[in-house]
Amino acid sequence: MRVSRLIWIRRACQAFFLILFLFLLIQTRLPQDIYVDYSMAFSSEQDLRLGAPVTFFFQLNPLTWLTSLISGFRINEGFLWAIGLLTATLFLGRFFCGFICPLGTLHHMAGAVRPGLKDRQKIRANQKTPAHRVKYFLLMAILLAALLGLNLTGLLDPIALLFRSVALAVLPAIGGALRSLFDAMGASHIKILNLLGYSTETVVAPVFGYNPQAYQTAWIMGLIFLGILFLNRLKPRFWCRILCPLGAFLALCSRFSVLRLEKSETSCIHCNNCVLDCQGAASPLPGTQWDPSECLLCLNCFGACQEGALRFRWGYPKPVSGRPDMGRRALLGGLLAGVSLPFLGRLDGRVDKVPDPGLIRPPGAVAEKDFLRLCQRCGLCMKVCPTNVINPTLSEAGMAGFWTPRLIMTLGYCEYTCTLCGSVCPTAAISPITLREKIERPITIGSAYVERGRCLPWSGNAPCIVCEEHCPTSPKAIYLRKSEVQTSQGAPLSVQLPYVDLQRCVGCGICEYKCPIQGKPAIRVISAGESRAPDHQILLGSQV
């Protein structure tokens, strides 16, 4: 097959998997037909599930599977995809990096837009350096931390990083900009702009959301994402070469691949075109030792050689000399970091002693220690949540729980009959509970309490029954008692005072979200009483 055809096949594969990734990311939301008739959104008769296989790329990811296995002793659903990828890597090398990885494709595209450098500078930028060992340091730290009970994989895993960045930062930012533009067009007195603004908004809203989305620390995610793309101006595919832990894992497996780069020194004229176009600094130049662990299988060197001195062929791998080029310092540093992080992450006491009362996990979340063993911090549960209540943590879960999901009730509320977050979690850190389990058990994520000094009826400022009206439990967890209070002028005021029945409250937070008191609501939800933690119960004899 001609070289040009192979390169076009690689480009077609990259485009296909990038589009597939973005499609599944967009599909990680409440089904489109429900927005047409929101009354059909949630029913007590059937579970709501997504039709698209939105966890496909996470099932394909062998690093997600491995860290979940050694950290949480759990085999993820669909793990055979990851086993198949590892098996294929033994034969084909790092084909995932060159043909499939959506983040790798973005880096490949960003690396093509580089400043004009002289050939000598380009060759120097494409040489392998000791910095390439950093990815082994990160891989070692992640694996050892997982073995000791803290799963940090999702912070640097390329699939989780890309999903989290695009879903929580890029799409909301673009959606906000487009929404402002369409609002301005809709307010225009020019009829064509007015019609175009409203009609275009209905087309793009399914992609960017019908309402503004807000996520804690999303700006940090966006800056990190832009930063790693900018690094491609220093070296092509800087992330893939130096930082990617999944790339390091696949590199260890690809050292014995049977797809080899065959070099002909007699045909080579040392034009250095192969080195200039190499995406992974794998030393493709004849006369040098080709490094299969660094080769991203982009086929650029093959296509750049006009003399036919390079060719990929099947064959038994030559004996691999020595150990992987991980570097002693990188290995020891990874071991030290992997041992230190799980213990340093618990020094603040958030895990072992006094949990933050505002740390409310999604319904179905497992116990906190097990949650930190399994959660990939990927953002799937945050993206799929229809009310925008699930957000990444900052300091509420301590260092060990950074960017894991929590519920912020001032941004949204947990829909009483919704179980979408558990249905998309790729590692079952949030159990895939059924609607019947959530309601009949019931699954409690926290408890509400009234701050009487801010509550309108209790403080004597005005009558209000908003929290009781919106309480979804049956019988209602918030009940009212008629009473007469005095205003600040001493005049009597007939009101209905709200009380919370802790035996019925499930902590959904709709009372806090709907409370008319702005800034700091008069009724709030804390994590005390959550079902997943027997030691967090408020009432003796509460069901767990």
Side-chain angles (χ1 to χ4, degrees), residues 35-304:
Y35 284 105
V36 178
D37 185 2
Y38 196 77
S39 63
M40 299 172 55
F42 303 102
S43 168
S44 58
E45 298 178 359
Q46 61 181 358
D47 293 324
L48 184 62
R49 292 291 185 265
L50 300 185
V54 296
T55 60
F56 170 72
F57 281 90
F58 294 91
Q59 294 173 352
L60 189 64
N61 189 339
L63 190 58
T64 299
W65 165 73
L66 179 61
T67 52
S68 298
L69 179 63
I70 64 177
S71 178
F73 311 106
R74 179 180 178 84
I75 297 178
N76 297 335
E77 182 180 356
F79 74 99
L80 289 177
W81 286 103
I83 298 298
L85 177 62
L86 281 181
T87 304
T89 301
L90 296 175
F91 290 92
L92 301 174
R94 291 176 63 177
F95 80 100
F96 176 83
C97 304
F99 282 72
I100 299 177
C101 181
L103 184 59
T105 299
L106 291 179
H107 286 305
H108 199 145
M109 295 166 59
V113 184
R114 303 186 63 213
L117 299 177
K118 297 180 179 179
D119 287 350
R120 184 178 300 177
Q121 293 174 310
K122 291 182 179 178
I123 292 174
R124 188 181 302 119
N126 272 355
Q127 295 295 324
K128 185 176 179 180
T129 65
H132 286 62
R133 298 169 180 170
V134 173
K135 60 180 177 288
Y136 294 108
F137 159 79
L138 296 173
L139 175 64
M140 185 62 64
I142 286 172
L143 292 179
L144 194 53
L147 186 62
L148 296 178
L150 179 60
N151 198 331
L152 298 172
T153 309
L155 293 177
L156 292 172
D157 176 77
I159 302 300
L161 187 150
L162 180 59
F163 189 98
R164 183 174 60 239
S165 301
V166 175
L168 308 188
V170 177
L171 284 185
I174 297 176
L178 291 177
R179 196 172 292 109
S180 298
L181 175 62
F182 297 146
D183 288 345
M185 294 172 64
S188 173
H189 295 293
I190 303 175
K191 187 174 182 180
I192 184 64
L193 291 179
N194 186 279
L195 294 175
L196 189 61
Y198 286 113
S199 60
T200 309
E201 184 175 6
T202 60
V203 175
V204 301
V207 176
F208 299 102
Y210 289 88
N211 298 304
Q213 301 293 304
Y215 297 99
Q216 184 175 246
T217 72
W219 65 274
I220 299 178
M221 300 175 189
L223 288 179
I224 292 175
F225 181 63
L226 293 176
I228 62 174
L229 289 180
F230 177 80
L231 289 175
N232 290 287
R233 292 181 64 86
L234 304 179
K235 288 181 182 293
R237 297 188 71 157
F238 186 100
W239 166 269
C240 308
R241 295 187 189 190
I242 296 174
L243 298 175
C244 182
L246 176 58
F249 183 44
L250 296 177
L252 295 177
C253 300
S254 65
R255 296 177 72 242
F256 307 99
S257 66
V258 296
L259 183 63
R260 316 294 295 178
L261 179 63
E262 193 175 87
K263 305 178 181 182
S264 174
E265 295 187 36
T266 57
S267 302
C268 180
I269 60 173
H270 295 279
C271 63
N272 290 318
N273 286 338
C274 57
V275 179
L276 292 174
D277 291 343
C278 180
Q279 288 281 312
S283 303
L285 186 67
T288 60
Q289 178 65 42
W290 177 63
D291 191 348
S293 63
E294 297 295 337
C295 180
L296 303 178
L297 216 66
C298 64
L299 306 177
N300 282 358
C301 61
F302 190 20

Side-chain angles (χ1 to χ4, degrees), residues 426-441:
T427 60
I430 305 174
S431 302
I433 57 174
T434 64
L435 179 58
R436 174 170 292 185
E437 286 178 297
K438 183 180 181 182
I439 295 178
E440 295 184 1
R441 192 177 170 183

